Amino acid sequence: MTSTTDPRELTVGVGAGGLATADMVLNIGPQHPATHGVLRLRLVVDGERIITAEPIIGYMHRGAEKLFEVRDYRQITVLANRHDWLSAFSNELGVVLAVESMLGMEVPERAVWARMLLAELNRVLNHLMFLGSYPLELGAITPIFYAFREREELQTVMEEVSGGRMHYMFNRVGGLLHDLPAGWLGRVESTIEDVRGRLPDLESMLVGNEIVHARTRGVGVLSAETVAAYGVSGPIARASGLDVDLRRDTPYLAYDQVFSSGGPGRVVTRTQGDSLARLEVLLEQVHVSLDIAQHCVGVLGSLPQGPINVKLPKVVRVPEGETYYATENPLGFNGYYLVSRGDKTPWRLKLRSASFNNVSVLSETLPGNLISDMVAILGSMFFVVGDIDK
Amino acid sequence: MSLLEVVVRSVVVLAAFLVLPLLVGQTEHKVMAHMQGRLGPMYAGGFHGWAQLVADGVKFAQKEDVTPREADRWVFRLAPAVSLVAYLVALSVLPLTSGVVGADVGAGVLFVLAAMAVGILGPLMAGWASANKYSLLGGMRAAAQLLSYELPMVLAAASVALAAGTLSLSGIVEQWHPLWLVWQLPGAVVFLVAAVAELQRVPFDMPMADSEIVFGPLTEYTGLRFAFFLLAEYAGIVVMSLLFTVLFLGGWQGPFAAALGWLWTLVKASAVAFVVIWFRVAWPRLREDQLQRLAWLVLVPLGLAQLAITGVWVVLTT
């Protein structure tokens, strides 16, 4: 039983022609179990086959960019870690890196490596969420419990260091909020070891399952050209064979050392571009991120004691000018375009979020597929609605 | 058969019909929970949440019974009953042990399959009458799925009836021999797969697919009518497990069958129900067209082959 064979068509004849059919408009969302949030898809369907699909967004628009303009940079960090609520640490990291680059600020080395460690743990947390929720959309209810068991362990170490389980708010302009607790690195290391040891349980339920293969192989194929045309990034782009990763291509923090030859970092790619490839990329990235995190723990352990942040003036004013700072968030490129007029608030802070571009490609991929495939494709686009609507 | 006897038999069947599905439901809560590293319900009733489903039932009874304005009222309201009663009727002819059966029908196999085929109308009626697009899609899926799974199921059952030389369920159990486990195995597999598909359970739960079409035919149902549909699903598991036990696993046959026959039937049926629950924990759902391909290209040929093997065997040995 494979899904790659051509669909058979059976025409039931009434008189000389087939049955008369009428197209139906089906609104998936804004309240629907598969959109995990308030995304809405307006589908025109013929039976179960989708003729046109139009993503309608904005139900969760909170005007984040406008709100940025009336807040100082620490307050912006609070706000910016919320649009993609599964990648809070990576979101706040982008803001402080942009501000630091405009201030020309040198961040202590311990802060650099600690940030990288936390960013990679955050990436694992994010990916585990989707590795649990995607099977749920395909009808498998067990993997999410396996994924959440690992998430709990990782959230415990994140909570110990930052106090937060979701919105960490641990970054500050110039470094981190405070130093790492005593003995924390050892606990991180054993947690990474545990998570890595139990991952095969989850993997065998996903890529080791025939029905998952039947539902995802060859479904929702994205060509590398389409990916490039729509600005799709992150794991979805890499599953289509587009070898881009900002951690390697425009290194920030100390990623140049991690992604150099001999380092633990590598860019995971596939060429098929279907839903299965996207799932595989996500799974493999979890392994890579755990490797990088482990490497960071090793480096942090060997660094001498020292400050973890830079002493800041009471009011941080970014000098006049503009910059664009993009980081590789778990879901793709996350960029901040910061324009400052020398005030304590930015004049404009434009947010380029990954999910917005990743979801816009849906109107291209969905037509021609069945409603069941729609769910399989939608789930494999790994989006966060807040990241779309901002 | 006196009137009193009819009443007593009916009450006993009804009691079994109300208790066994709850047992299966509670087992599902617990089995699923422990397979997923959870505890499941722990509070209702005190000991390991044994009264959770009773509490659920009370809650459902308190809910408002909504009938959508655009719905086809009578069809909409009748649908849960059609689903439920079909399984009740089917349960009444399934033998528990030698001589213990609600109603001893001569052509029991035919009767059970016919009764369950009526139950299919429930989701179809619900899907059509709800005036909801998701329900309609679900109803269509249910219709396509249930029709295509009747055939392999009938073929597998026919093979057993042929081997036993009788259509009576009790007669089949009496003719059963452990060797059947071997040479009726393809038929048993076909029957089990078809049964899961007919029950609309994972991996064949496309008519209900909650992440795709919300809850299919049940989307618009509330309160007790919704609960009846859920009860029908678990009653269906009970009926299918018992039927599978009677047809393929030798019903009450086993050591000390004279005294413990009823226990053997229940143990075997519980094992089948456990497998059905296990499927739900382990697998995602197939796509509708993949299910049709499985039915027509794998199960129907397999069922026909089983029927042919049985026919040849019966002709050669008698």
Side-chain angles (χ1 to χ4, degrees):
Chain A
M1 244 191 49
T2 58
S3 60
T4 45
T5 47
D6 291 327
R8 294 165 179 223
E9 195 163 295
L10 178 72
T11 309
V12 181
V14 173
L19 287 170
T21 61
D23 294 345
M24 178 168 84
V25 176
L26 188 65
N27 280 296
I28 303 283
Q31 308 293 340
H32 185 277
T35 58
H36 38 99
V38 281
L39 178 68
R40 173 174 161 210
L41 292 173
R42 189 175 174 279
L43 306 179
V44 179
V45 289
D46 174 12
E48 290 226 15
R49 201 163 289 280
I50 295 166
I51 299 171
T52 59
E54 182 194 356
I56 299 172
I57 63 169
Y59 288 90
M60 207 184 260
H61 182 60
R62 292 170 292 183
E65 288 173 8
K66 199 71 194 165
L67 293 173
F68 288 153
E69 292 172 15
V70 289
R71 273 156 178 77
D72 68 32
Y73 291 100
R74 196 178 54 179
Q75 291 169 321
I76 287 174
T77 320
V78 178
L79 198 60
N81 85 22
R82 273 157 174 77
H83 62 265
D84 176 358
W85 51 76
L86 293 175
S87 326
F89 191 87
S90 315
N91 296 339
E92 52 190 64
L93 187 62
V95 176
V96 296
L97 286 176
V99 174
E100 283 160 11
S101 81
M102 280 186 82
L103 286 168
M105 187 181 273
E106 189 79 34
V107 176
E109 202 184 358
R110 279 164 50 75
V112 168
W113 284 93
R115 279 175 171 181
M116 224 157 64
L117 166 61
L118 291 165
E120 290 309 314
L121 290 180
N122 193 195
R123 191 181 309 276
V124 175
L125 277 171
N126 173 298
H127 287 0
L128 280 173
M129 178 74 216
F130 286 104
L131 291 173
S133 74
Y134 184 46
L136 204 58
E137 268 140 39
L138 297 177
I141 46 182
T142 305
I144 196 160
F145 292 102
Y146 285 53
F148 265 67
R149 183 178 60 190
E150 313 312 327
R151 272 176 60 88
E152 281 301 317
E153 303 267 320
L154 289 166
Q155 273 181 329
T156 306
V157 292
M158 294 292 272
E159 186 182 5
E160 188 187 347
V161 71
S162 71
R165 289 169 62 82
M166 198 167 176
H167 299 295
Y168 309 104
M169 195 48 209
F170 195 49
N171 275 297
R172 290 293 184 276
V173 174
L176 294 170
L177 169 62
H178 53 62
D179 210 336
L180 309 173
W184 182 76
L185 284 176
R187 287 189 284 282
V188 173
E189 194 151 32
S190 65
T191 303
I192 292 174
E193 218 36 65
D194 289 348
V195 171
R196 195 182 278 144
R198 282 189 305 244
L199 266 182
D201 294 355
L202 182 62
E203 279 168 331
S204 65
M205 296 208 83
L206 300 174
V207 290
N209 186 302
E210 308 81 7
I211 298 181
V212 171
H213 281 244
R215 286 292 306 278
T216 55
R217 182 172 285 150
V219 170
V221 178
L222 275 177
S223 68
E225 293 76 44
T226 318
V227 163
Y230 279 82
V232 174
S233 55
I236 304 170
R238 290 195 282 275
S240 292
L242 216 63
D243 189 10
V244 287
D245 191 326
L246 293 181
R247 292 176 295 175
R248 180 200 57 194
D249 302 335
T250 58
Y252 51 99
L253 296 177
Y255 276 120
D256 49 345
Q257 295 177 46
V258 173
F259 278 82
S260 61
S261 63
R266 61 194 165 85
V267 180
V268 181
T269 54
R270 291 286 184 280
T271 50
Q272 296 88 336
D274 56 4
S275 301
L276 183 62
R278 294 192 274 273
L279 183 66
E280 285 174 353
V281 167
L282 217 58
L283 259 176
E284 202 175 331
Q285 284 195 173
V286 171
H287 286 284
V288 175
S289 287
L290 286 175
D291 290 344
I292 298 177
Q294 183 140 33
H295 182 75
C296 293
V297 170
V299 172
L300 276 169
S302 66
L303 285 178
Q305 286 297 322
I308 199 142
N309 47 26
V310 177
K311 194 109 180 84
L312 289 178
K314 239 190 171 65
V315 178
V316 178
R317 290 182 197 279
V318 171
E320 203 167 322
E322 57 181 67
T323 186
Y324 177 73
Y325 209 103
T327 54
E328 182 75 23
N329 256 32
L331 298 180
F333 299 169
N334 188 73
Y336 294 98
Y337 180 59
L338 172 60
V339 184
S340 175
R341 293 274 166 92
D343 297 326
K344 64 175 187 175
T345 62
W347 185 77
R348 176 88 170 96
L349 183 55
K350 164 85 178 77
L351 169 61
R352 187 265 189 230
S353 62
S355 300
F356 179 81
N357 292 62
N358 293 0
V359 162
S360 61
V361 82
L362 281 173
S363 56
E364 188 99 358
T365 12
L366 288 181
N369 285 299
L370 299 173
I371 288 177
S372 307
D373 288 337
M374 180 275 289
V375 174
I377 297 168
L378 191 63
S380 72
M381 287 299 165
F382 312 127
F383 61 90
V384 169
V385 180
D387 202 28
I388 303 170
D389 289 349
K390 296 180 255 190
Chain B
M1 203 185 281
S2 69
L3 186 66
L4 180 70
E5 196 187 338
V6 170
V7 171
V8 169
R9 280 172 183 262
S10 306
V11 169
V12 170
V13 169
L14 190 64
F17 184 72
L18 291 178
V19 172
L20 291 178
L22 291 189
L23 278 178
V24 172
Q26 182 67 11
T27 312
E28 178 171 49
H29 276 331
K30 284 296 179 185
V31 166
M32 272 174 60
H34 287 291
M35 281 181 175
Q36 295 170 341
R38 306 182 281 128
L39 288 175
M42 285 302 283
Y43 294 102
F47 180 74
H48 285 259
W50 67 270
Q52 183 60 47
L53 284 169
V54 180
D56 287 348
V58 172
K59 191 198 77 175
F60 278 128
Q62 290 169 339
K63 297 252 174 185
E64 185 186 358
D65 180 25
V66 179
T67 308
R69 194 177 54 213
E70 299 297 321
D72 191 340
R73 294 185 76 80
W74 286 108
V75 180
F76 182 83
R77 294 182 158 195
L78 205 58
V82 172
S83 266
L84 200 56
V85 170
Y87 286 119
L88 175 63
V89 172
L91 188 70
S92 66
V93 301
L94 289 168
L96 181 63
T97 182
S98 181
V100 179
V101 57
D104 205 0
V105 179
V109 176
L110 200 64
F111 185 87
V112 170
L113 291 176
M116 288 195 304
V118 174
I120 296 170
L121 287 175
L124 195 55
M125 285 164 68
W128 189 256
S130 290
N132 178 312
K133 290 169 183 173
Y134 293 119
S135 302
L136 179 64
L137 284 174
M140 291 296 131
R141 286 184 181 191
Q145 171 167 340
L146 299 173
L147 285 178
S148 57
Y149 273 83
E150 278 300 285
L151 185 58
M153 189 177 235
V154 169
L155 288 174
S159 159
V160 175
L162 194 61
T166 173
L167 276 173
S168 156
L169 290 169
S170 305
I172 289 174
V173 175
E174 268 146 27
Q175 293 294 317
W176 186 82
H177 186 277
L179 259 185
W180 282 28
L181 289 176
V182 181
W183 72 294
Q184 293 294 336
L185 185 65
V189 172
V190 169
F191 189 90
L192 187 64
V193 173
V196 175
E198 179 134 354
L199 292 170
Q200 302 171 27
R201 297 270 305 181
V202 176
F204 308 117
D205 64 334
M206 303 74 145
M208 306 287 190
D210 54 311
S211 55
E212 294 166 21
I213 49 174
V214 189
F215 223 97
L218 310 194
T219 306
E220 293 286 356
Y221 281 87
T222 55
L224 268 184
R225 284 177 212 281
F226 181 72
F228 283 155
F229 268 119
L230 290 191
L231 186 62
E233 181 181 339
Y234 289 102
I237 299 180
V238 171
V239 169
M240 286 297 182
S241 306
L242 281 170
L243 186 60
F244 187 84
T245 306
V246 167
L247 291 179
F248 295 97
L249 302 179
W252 60 80
Q253 293 213 26
F256 311 108
L260 293 178
W262 59 276
L263 188 61
W264 280 115
T265 307
L266 289 182
V267 166
K268 289 173 184 174
S270 310
V272 178
F274 177 82
V275 171
V276 172
I277 294 169
W278 192 359
F279 285 165
R280 181 170 176 204
V281 185
W283 280 330
R285 83 173 66 84
L286 279 169
R287 215 167 51 207
E288 193 65 42
D289 60 309
Q290 293 169 337
L291 167 129
Q292 297 290 346
R293 185 171 286 121
L294 177 68
W296 294 105
L297 298 185
V298 179
L299 294 185
V300 170
L302 212 57
L304 283 171
Q306 175 69 67
L307 199 59
I309 293 171
T310 312
V312 169
W313 176 270
V314 169
V315 168
L316 287 181
T317 53
T318 51

